[in-house]
Amino acid sequence: MLDKIQQQSITPLTSSFNYFITKKRLAMKTKQPNTKRINSLQWALLPLFGCGVLLFTGRTYA
């Protein structure tokens, strides 16, 4: 562990970013979302949410 602490950190002169990964991220950010898929997921989660509400609501008597 002491060897790791005593080592000098060398700063590289080049960027560590990969051009392909950066290009891929930019393409993903500018891509338009698929609204059909988003709407279908929302409608599919609606019954699940309703069941959860019914399951966790109840009267408590003290």
Side-chain angles (χ1 to χ4, degrees):
M1 192 190 276
L2 289 175
D3 290 336
K4 285 284 187 188
I5 294 172
Q6 291 176 353
Q7 286 179 353
Q8 294 178 355
S9 63
I10 300 171
T11 307
L13 296 176
T14 59
S15 175
S16 62
F17 291 112
N18 188 353
Y19 174 73
F20 179 72
I21 294 172
T22 307
K23 184 178 176 184
K24 188 175 175 182
R25 283 187 184 174
L26 286 173
M28 289 171 68
K29 284 181 130 326
T30 58
K31 183 179 176 184
Q32 294 295 325
N34 188 353
T35 55
K36 257 186 180 177
R37 184 170 185 259
I38 292 171
N39 287 338
S40 64
L41 285 174
Q42 287 176 348
W43 282 105
L45 287 176
L46 189 63
L48 183 66
F49 178 72
C51 289
V53 167
L54 291 175
L55 183 67
F56 291 109
T57 55
R59 292 189 178 159
T60 305
Y61 298 104

